[in-house]
Amino acid sequence: MITVSAYEIPEPGRMHLVQRSFPELAPEDLLVRVHRVGVCATDLHLLDGDLGVAYPLIPGHEFVGEIAAIGSAAARRRGLRDGDRVAVEMLLPCHNCDQCRRGRYNLCELDDRSVAAAGRQYGINIPAHTPPGLWGGYSEYVFAPQEALVHWIPDNLSWDRASLVEPLAVAFRAVDRAGVGPGDSVVVIGPGPIGLLTVAAARARGAGTAVITGTRQSRLDVAVRMGADASINVRSVDAFAAVKELLPKGADVVIETAGQASAQEESVHFVRRGGVVVLAGACGSRVPITFHQDEDILLNEIDIRGSFLSAGGFEPAIELLSSSELHFEELITHHYGFADVPLALSHVRDREQGVLKAVINTTTGGSHG
Ligand SMILES: [Zn+2]
Ligand SMILES: [Zn+2]
């Protein structure tokens, strides 16, 4: 019998390697052999038990791979076949509820489903005991049922570059929620992987001026190579004054990606009157933020919008990664083999050696480098 190795979090605080049997596929299913999975801060929150989800779980939602097996109906409907390279969206939407029908499938309202009653997000909240148990990217294989959103990846994309499809899709969601268009000025708060990719996505949508704020100079320098015109290190200068100097009327759009309450509160001070603020960073459960309603919002008619997951973002992300000359690989500072998953997580947790993005090559053993 062929078995599949996967890392499972049986309960908060622990992770171990488990073996699953190779699943049988129905005609509408497919199986992805994972090649790369990106380590996300969310994975650490899962390990720490911060998200209030049911365990056991297999983490990993930033995965790409090749089709190892595909049912006949799935192959016909999707136009895919064995060996095709694919990215799979994190959310399994129902395709039928009001939100799905409006195209906001990231807000899918159907909870009551047999395949994953406790949740529908790969690597986040689908319990590992839901058959066939392959619901996360820290695994040699991931199962994709009929409702999965599977995107073909062109051959010219290296696996490393392809591993950025999901975070770049999240960035495109935020940029498109803001309605960034040609000539717009954009301030991005937070030079983490999502913030840096948000700069690239805003540029791809035609942003005229892109400015990024943050504290770590090495990351701010990467932002400039991702297309930012200016970076503001808030450790050394006053962010408000610095934005004012670059954009006297304020930015058309401000996108907060750091997930810090104080930064989200500050974001309304960088935007012009009538502008848009997108809050894309998760601050943690039940974290309040405070605005001065009249001065900050009402008198200036500021639109404040949330951005959740990546709906509509995979297509432009794959397009940009395959057509752009930007050196996106630069974001991946740390590479690991499959045996190194615990090491990768600890490096990300401890921010080892300036780690920006850590990516695991699930097809090799231990090869940290
Ligand atoms: Zn992520
Ligand atoms: Zn739905």
Side-chain angles (χ1 to χ4, degrees):
M1 190 180 70
I2 310 173
T3 58
V4 177
S5 297
Y7 285 90
E8 183 186 81
I9 302 174
E11 62 194 14
R14 290 205 300 133
M15 190 171 69
H16 58 197
L17 205 54
V18 294
Q19 304 295 322
R20 295 258 190 280
S21 49
F22 204 80
E24 303 240 338
L25 298 188
E28 275 289 0
D29 301 336
L30 65 87
L31 193 67
V32 177
R33 182 187 177 222
V34 179
H35 276 253
R36 296 287 188 281
V37 60
V39 177
C40 181
T42 306
D43 305 341
L44 291 170
H45 289 305
L46 280 174
L47 189 53
D48 294 343
D50 294 340
L51 302 184
V53 296
Y55 294 83
L57 288 168
I58 297 174
H61 57 273
E62 301 181 5
F63 59 91
V64 287
E66 66 181 295
I67 295 179
I70 184 165
S72 55
R76 203 164 45 241
R77 182 170 65 85
R78 297 179 183 276
L80 294 170
R81 58 183 178 182
D82 280 0
D84 278 350
R85 307 162 86 238
V86 292
V88 183
E89 295 196 32
M90 175 171 154
L91 184 77
L92 292 166
C94 79
H95 303 279
N96 268 312
C97 71
D98 280 357
Q99 297 286 7
C100 280
R101 285 171 183 271
R102 279 181 209 158
R104 298 185 80 164
Y105 60 86
N106 52 329
L107 306 180
C108 177
E109 285 168 336
L110 193 61
D111 289 323
D112 167 20
R113 297 176 61 257
S114 57
V115 67
R120 298 185 311 283
Q121 293 171 36
Y122 279 109
I124 305 282
N125 62 11
I126 308 177
H129 47 67
T130 306
L134 300 171
W135 300 105
Y138 287 34
S139 172
E140 292 176 303
Y141 292 87
V142 169
F143 176 75
Q146 180 167 9
E147 62 270 38
L149 296 165
V150 180
H151 298 266
W152 182 80
I153 296 173
D155 287 341
N156 72 344
L157 262 190
S158 70
W159 282 120
D160 280 343
R161 207 165 155 102
S163 72
L164 297 170
V165 166
E166 198 275 346
L168 182 56
V170 169
F172 267 108
R173 176 74 190 171
V175 163
D176 289 341
R177 283 285 291 148
V180 173
D184 284 347
S185 54
V186 179
V187 170
V188 175
I189 301 174
I194 298 291
L196 296 169
L197 291 168
T198 296
V199 170
R203 279 291 198 214
R205 289 296 192 227
T209 308
V211 177
I212 188 159
T213 73
T215 55
R216 272 178 272 181
Q217 193 57 44
S218 60
R219 292 182 171 197
L220 293 170
D221 294 343
V222 176
V224 171
R225 294 192 285 277
M226 288 294 123
D229 299 286
S231 69
I232 297 170
N233 191 328
V234 302
R235 281 221 175 106
S236 47
V237 297
D238 176 68
F240 178 73
V243 169
K244 190 100 188 148
E245 195 179 316
L246 292 161
L247 303 165
K249 293 183 174 177
D252 295 312
V253 166
V254 176
I255 301 175
E256 201 278 348
T257 68
Q260 284 171 359
S262 58
Q264 299 204 343
E265 289 170 346
E266 203 176 42
S267 61
V268 292
H269 300 139
F270 299 150
V271 75
R272 70 164 165 81
R273 301 187 79 194
V276 179
V277 172
V278 168
L279 304 181
C283 293
S285 182
R286 305 186 69 79
V287 174
I289 58 175
T290 307
F291 296 117
H292 301 113
Q293 147 62 358
D294 288 9
E295 296 84 347
D296 291 344
I297 314 294
L298 182 145
L299 295 174
N300 296 319
E301 282 202 336
I302 305 302
D303 287 350
I304 298 178
R305 301 176 189 162
S307 182
F308 180 53
L309 303 181
S310 57
F314 271 65
E315 295 87 350
I318 293 169
E319 161 66 24
L320 184 64
L321 287 168
S322 47
S323 66
S324 167
E325 288 178 0
L326 290 177
H327 187 54
F328 286 102
E329 291 84 346
E330 181 186 2
L331 271 61
I332 306 172
T333 51
H334 289 58
H335 297 82
Y336 300 86
F338 194 54
D340 299 325
V341 164
L343 182 69
L345 286 169
S346 76
H347 283 176
V348 171
R349 186 188 295 284
D350 301 337
R351 296 181 167 174
E352 190 91 6
Q353 301 147 7
V355 61
L356 179 50
K357 191 79 193 165
V359 169
I360 294 151
N361 179 344
T362 48
T363 66
T364 65
S367 63
H368 169 52

